[in-house]
Amino acid sequence: MVLSQVQKNIGQSDANTIISDANTMTRTVTIKFRTAGKHYDFNARDFDLKAGDQVIVETDRGRALGSVVTPPVEADDNSAKRDLKSVLRVATDDDLQLAVTNAAREETAFRYCRAKIIERKMEMKLVKAEYLFDGSKIIFYFTADGRIDFRELVKDLAHHFHTRIEMRQIGVRDEAKLIGGIGICGQSLCCCTFLTDFSPVSVKMAKEQQLALNPSKISGQCGRLLCCLGYEYETYCKSRKGMPKCGARLTVDGLNVQVSETDILGQKVCVRVEDGRCLKMSKEEFRQMQESGKLPEKEPPRQLRDAPAVKPENEQKPSGDAGDEQPKKRRRRRRRKPAADGRDGSTGEQRQSAAQDAGDEKPPQPRDRKSRPGQPPPQAKADSTVADGEQKKRRRRRRRPGPKPASADRN
């Protein structure tokens, strides 16, 4: 009934065109099979899918478990380069449990294959073993410098696992993608987190960004140039436009000037003048210098321009309260070392007689005993004790504020 109504309104030929166009539209969905794996398009059919759903799809190698990247969209079959494989079903709990079981079997297969490689002394490095979803085939990924004859190894593996065996040689970048790790930046490797394809990286990118051409600094874990060198390459190329090259020479005010350094991000140019000066200017100032043929005028440093004016020394201070004046710093007397025979040059006997006249008690004399080698005699020890006591009294007198106390000698 709807078709007849359409035919009445727009005609028979136009209705046939609309029906054929509706039949050629296909719902396509993007699916990946590992965390940073490539994205593939599949026919979503009538399934209602969303990002993150686990589905079972049909591939050239057999059935596989994949994850939906983007929801299904309508696409024209004429734009498709080849026939798309279809989504079989949404993954069930049994499918997810089978995937966990295959992961455990992959670890066992990896250990057995590595033991056989060591036993046969083959010059190859085993990277990973992968089971297909249905278990019909095991794929072993390895790296090697050249071609490897692994026919005998395949026979041993097929006899042990009773399934089809495939040996696949990969590069060092694919090895880093499968194994993973931490880069020199402290983050997980880009190739095993979000990079789906490897873009070509050249040394020209490092030179354009003015990086040191040190292999240990610009190489990744795989031994090749860092993939992140290509992230900002286009930005540096755009910023370099209008900037002079290092080593460029020109004559300004009759002096030879050479560009010694360029700051691409800061848009700054550093030039060296013939008389030994080194001037740093912006890109616009350098362009004006080229057009006018004159060096830019010198400006006082910012510190000198912003510094407050210095007051003259002979300017008299305004009279104010006495409390406004800063107190003078007391001069600290230098402490003199005590002399061997006393501070005032008197001997021990004179100090002892003065102490007796003042009424002080006589210090106890040590017992008579033989002096050992390296020790002063008893009389010298008594004299030094008296001298130390006199010095302490004088230090206390200096520190006391106010008038000095009357001494016993002045009575």
Side-chain angles (χ1 to χ4, degrees):
M1 185 174 182
V2 176
L3 180 59
S4 62
Q5 186 68 26
V6 171
Q7 291 176 355
K8 290 180 181 179
N9 295 336
I10 60 177
Q12 181 67 31
S13 59
D14 295 339
N16 294 335
T17 304
I18 293 175
I19 294 173
S20 61
D21 291 343
N23 293 333
T24 56
M25 299 299 290
T26 305
R27 297 177 70 247
T28 60
V29 61
T30 304
I31 295 176
K32 63 179 181 179
F33 298 99
R34 55 171 60 97
T35 303
K38 293 184 179 181
H39 296 175
Y40 300 93
D41 292 335
F42 288 86
N43 186 358
R45 295 165 62 186
D46 298 334
F47 293 104
D48 186 12
L49 303 175
K50 58 182 179 180
D53 290 346
Q54 301 289 332
V55 294
I56 304 298
V57 297
E58 184 71 29
T59 63
D60 297 336
R61 300 185 303 176
R63 295 183 179 183
L65 175 66
S67 177
V68 177
V69 179
T70 58
V73 294
E74 297 289 342
D76 189 2
D77 285 347
N78 297 330
S79 62
K81 296 182 180 179
R82 59 184 179 83
D83 295 336
L84 297 178
K85 299 290 184 179
S86 300
V87 176
L88 299 180
R89 65 177 183 274
V90 179
T92 60
D93 295 339
D94 295 338
D95 296 332
L96 299 179
Q97 184 62 33
L98 181 59
V100 175
T101 304
N102 289 339
R105 296 169 64 188
E106 288 173 1
E107 184 67 21
T108 304
F110 178 82
R111 293 180 180 178
Y112 181 81
C113 183
R114 185 172 57 181
K116 285 297 180 179
I117 291 174
I118 297 174
E119 180 182 347
R120 292 185 175 275
K121 299 180 180 180
M122 303 177 68
E123 296 181 357
M124 57 186 294
K125 179 183 178 183
L126 188 64
V127 177
K128 185 180 180 181
E130 180 183 0
Y131 262 92
L132 294 186
F133 179 75
D134 54 1
S136 60
K137 182 191 292 186
I138 309 176
I139 304 175
F140 293 94
Y141 299 93
F142 69 95
T143 58
D145 295 335
R147 296 180 62 87
I148 301 296
D149 185 8
F150 45 76
R151 288 176 293 184
E152 298 297 329
L153 177 62
V154 171
K155 291 180 181 180
D156 295 342
L157 297 176
H159 180 72
H160 183 270
F161 294 107
H162 302 286
T163 186
R164 291 185 299 169
I165 304 296
E166 180 181 348
M167 305 295 295
R168 185 174 298 180
Q169 186 173 357
I170 60 176
V172 289
R173 284 194 169 185
D174 294 315
E175 177 188 1
K177 187 180 185 69
L178 293 176
I179 296 176
I182 304 297
I184 59 176
C185 59
Q187 301 292 333
S188 299
L189 297 180
C190 300
C191 56
C192 63
T193 52
F194 63 90
L195 280 183
T196 57
D197 295 322
F198 292 111
S199 302
V201 184
S202 61
V203 183
K204 181 181 177 181
M205 296 181 179
K207 293 181 179 179
E208 191 73 22
Q209 301 176 34
Q210 298 180 347
L211 298 177
L213 301 181
N214 187 356
S216 61
K217 299 294 183 181
I218 61 176
S219 299
Q221 186 177 359
C222 59
R224 300 292 188 267
L225 293 175
L226 292 168
C227 296
C228 56
L229 293 177
Y231 296 165
E232 300 178 358
Y233 176 66
E234 295 181 0
T235 303
Y236 273 86
C237 291
K238 294 179 182 178
S239 301
R240 183 176 283 277
K241 292 182 179 179
M243 297 284 290
K245 295 183 179 180
C246 289
R249 297 176 180 272
L250 64 154
T251 303
V252 181
D253 288 341
L255 299 175
N256 295 329
V257 178
Q258 182 180 5
V259 179
S260 60
E261 184 181 354
T262 57
D263 184 6
I264 299 177
L265 297 180
Q267 297 290 293
K268 300 289 184 180
V269 181
C270 184
V271 298
R272 188 178 298 277
V273 191
E274 185 180 1
D275 55 4
R277 290 180 296 168
C278 186
L279 304 179
K280 193 170 185 179
M281 61 189 72
S282 62
K283 182 176 66 175
E284 289 74 14
E285 293 177 350
F286 181 82
R287 188 179 302 173
Q288 294 177 2
M289 184 182 68
Q290 280 183 316
E291 296 174 356
S292 62
K294 296 182 180 180
L295 292 172
E297 297 181 359
K298 297 181 180 179
E299 296 183 1
R302 186 172 182 180
Q303 296 179 356
L304 298 180
R305 285 182 290 168
D306 299 343
V310 181
K311 296 182 180 180
E313 297 180 357
N314 55 1
E315 183 179 355
Q316 296 181 359
K317 297 181 180 180
S319 60
D321 298 338
D324 297 340
E325 297 180 358
Q326 296 181 357
K328 296 182 179 180
K329 295 183 179 181
R330 297 182 61 182
R331 187 175 180 182
R332 187 175 181 180
R333 297 184 63 180
R334 187 176 180 183
R335 186 179 297 177
R336 290 179 290 182
K337 297 181 180 180
D341 54 351
R343 190 177 185 85
D344 52 355
S346 60
T347 61
E349 296 178 358
Q350 295 176 356
R351 289 194 302 274
Q352 186 175 359
S353 59
Q356 291 177 0
D357 296 341
D360 297 339
E361 295 182 0
K362 184 177 180 180
Q365 297 290 340
R367 298 178 181 178
D368 296 338
R369 58 182 179 181
K370 295 181 180 180
S371 60
R372 298 180 181 177
Q375 293 183 353
Q379 186 65 26
K381 289 185 178 180
D383 295 344
S384 62
T385 303
V386 175
D388 294 342
E390 291 293 332
Q391 292 175 10
K392 291 180 180 179
K393 290 180 180 180
R394 292 176 182 176
R395 290 172 189 165
R396 295 195 192 100
R397 290 171 186 172
R398 294 196 205 102
R399 296 172 185 171
R400 292 175 183 172
K404 296 181 180 180
S407 177
D409 299 337
R410 297 179 182 177
N411 293 336

